[in-house]
Every structure is written in C-alpha cells, then in structure tokens.
Amino acid sequence: MSSKPESDRLRVVLVAPRNPLNIGAAARAMSNFGFSHLRVVNPYELAFREVRSAVGAAPLLAEAKEFKTVAEAVEDCTLVVGTTAVGKRQLQHPLRRLDQSTRLFREHLAGSPVALLFGSEKRGLSNEDLSHCHWLIRIPTREEHRSMNLGQAVAVCLYELARDPEAVGKSEKHAPATAADRERLTVLLLDALRSSGYLKSSPNSSRNQRSAAPTEDKIRRLVHRLRLSAPDAELTLGILRQILWKARQRDERS
C-alpha cells in the first residue's frame, strides 16, 4: 500500500459530482489504499457527508474540503492531472495511460502536493476544468465501453498508485510552482495581454466573455506547459507586475 508521506501529498478532487453515493465510494477507496485528502468542488448534493457507501471511511468523508472552483481546490499543488474517457472530444493536453504514468506521479509526490481530478458522472471534466491540468490520464478500458463509474475510477487509479510504493522518485532540486502561483501568473499575463491590445477587453457582454474563455484557457495551458519552478514563477510574476505598472503609467500620461 501507499506509504507516508507520499500518500499525504495526493489530493483527490471530485469536480461537480452528482451522486453522493459515488462520493462515499471514492472516500472508501481512498481509505482502502491509504490516501486521506478528499476535495469536492460544487457537489450536486450538499448532504454527501451522510451517505452510507463510505464504509469504514466516515472520518475521511467528514473531513473532506469543499471548494467553489477547481482553481481554489488545487492552488497548493505543483502538479494537476485530470482523468478522461476521451470519447469524441479533442484534447489539448498530453494523454497517458494510467499504468504508464504512475512513475511520474510518484516523482512529484516525493516532494510536493499533487491533485488528481475526476469529473462529473454526466459530462466529465469541462474544458475550463482541464485548463488547470498539466496532463491527462485514461484508464485502459475497452473502446466499446470507455466510461467508468466515478467511485470505481477513483479506486482503480488509487490502486495503481498504491501498489508499488518502493518506486518513489527523487524530489526535484527546485520545488515546482504551485497551482496558485501559476494561476496568479496566468491572471497577470492576461492583464498584460489586454493592456497591450493583444486581447480585447470584454466588460459586460456575455457574448464577448464566452469568446474570450477559450483564449484564456489556452493561455493557462501555456503557463502550465512551462513547468516553472517556484523561484522562476516568482521572478516572472515580478517581471509582469513591472510591465503592467509601466503600461498603466503610460496610459495615465496619454
């Protein structure tokens, strides 16, 4: 089974789950395999902590943290990985099979928090949810029946992570930037792009906001692909703040 402290660094994040029984089943699987940090984003049923499917995992379920957005749920993580059945959607991320990605998971878990995202039973992870991910994994199910029950998918993923605890990698020399650092960097970069005229501001029009969303997702994915260390993220944030300050001074004088 998974060993501490590596297991303590994994955050299992359920995004917009609809069936409270699946949340309970996910909590039970986490307890089975030695993981304890459950995070729930906008659950459809708010009374999920009372479900009976969390057999032996009631304390874990009681301590689950709730968040309004994915960004808030993963802000302390340096790696964010999403799960997908793929289907007909066109992915903008690297896709790995679950059994081929466990070593990468363990290398990150050796030194910093990692988030593993599972989407709604009805639609999976949205494009906006996926924009927070570095890469995606797929459980190798047969092509004719790709999707899995949420609770079962959590159990399969955690089993794969827990079954070889001896293969823990070495932590990186410099700690990677957290999701919160990358999100601040994304926001500042978007502000700089709007100030330069590269992106158009969309104050109130819902149509403009919808059209801007895909571009913002692309910028967020770009920032994730940079794989900045924490010191490099801090340096880049300082550079962007200086650029924005100069641009605003110029606008005030004109």
Side-chain angles (χ1 to χ4, degrees):
M1 293 301 98
S2 185
S3 60
K4 293 182 179 286
E6 286 76 26
S7 60
D8 277 341
R9 297 194 182 109
L10 183 72
R11 284 80 169 105
V12 175
V13 183
L14 308 183
V15 183
R18 299 178 64 84
N19 189 336
L21 293 176
N22 285 332
I23 304 177
R28 181 177 183 177
M30 291 176 65
S31 181
N32 285 147
F33 297 116
F35 300 96
S36 57
H37 297 288
L38 175 61
R39 300 181 175 184
V40 184
V41 179
N42 286 332
Y44 186 80
E45 174 55 66
L46 297 179
F48 67 86
R49 298 178 195 275
E50 302 170 10
V51 299
R52 297 183 180 181
S53 54
V55 179
L60 189 154
L61 194 60
E63 294 176 4
K65 296 182 179 179
E66 293 183 55
F67 297 88
K68 291 292 185 184
T69 66
V70 170
E72 293 170 342
V74 304
E75 67 177 3
D76 63 331
C77 300
T78 60
L79 175 69
V80 181
V81 178
T83 55
T84 179
V86 184
K88 296 180 179 179
R89 73 192 307 169
Q90 293 184 341
L91 301 179
Q92 304 296 324
H93 297 73
L95 177 67
R96 298 183 173 93
R97 280 173 41 129
L98 172 62
D99 53 336
Q100 297 169 344
S101 60
T102 51
R103 179 172 291 276
L104 288 172
F105 263 104
R106 294 186 187 111
E107 288 175 356
H108 282 82
L109 285 170
S112 54
V114 173
L116 180 57
L117 272 59
F118 297 85
S120 162
E121 298 93 324
K122 191 172 183 179
R123 297 188 177 87
L125 294 169
S126 69
N127 288 335
E128 182 180 353
D129 299 332
L130 292 175
S131 73
H132 293 277
C133 298
H134 290 85
W135 39 274
L136 307 176
I137 58 173
R138 174 181 174 257
I139 297 172
T141 53
R142 68 189 183 97
E143 293 296 319
E144 296 82 0
H145 194 183
R146 283 173 167 258
S147 66
M148 292 184 67
N149 168 269
L150 175 58
Q152 293 174 338
V154 172
V156 171
C157 290
L158 297 186
Y159 165 74
E160 193 69 31
L161 287 176
R163 72 187 179 96
D164 188 10
E166 299 302 320
V168 175
K170 296 181 179 179
S171 58
E172 298 183 22
K173 184 176 180 181
H174 295 292
T178 66
D181 289 335
R182 291 192 299 271
E183 188 63 18
R184 283 194 290 269
L185 185 54
T186 300
V187 171
L188 275 178
L189 182 54
L190 287 168
D191 285 346
L193 292 174
R194 293 188 189 97
S195 178
S196 69
Y198 183 85
L199 290 180
K200 293 183 179 179
S201 299
S202 52
N204 297 314
S205 168
S206 59
R207 181 178 179 182
N208 287 341
Q209 289 174 351
R210 285 195 301 272
S211 63
T215 301
E216 293 182 6
D217 291 346
K218 288 179 182 178
I219 297 298
R220 183 176 287 109
R221 290 195 297 268
L222 170 63
V223 172
H224 282 209
R225 287 197 299 272
L226 295 176
R227 301 189 66 178
L228 294 172
S229 67
D232 287 346
E234 194 61 37
L235 174 62
T236 309
L237 283 167
I239 292 171
L240 287 174
R241 290 190 187 104
Q242 181 68 16
I243 291 173
L244 279 169
W245 180 70
K246 282 288 188 181
R248 285 163 183 160
Q249 275 195 328
R250 178 204 62 201
D251 292 340
E252 288 174 359
R253 287 195 298 266
S254 60

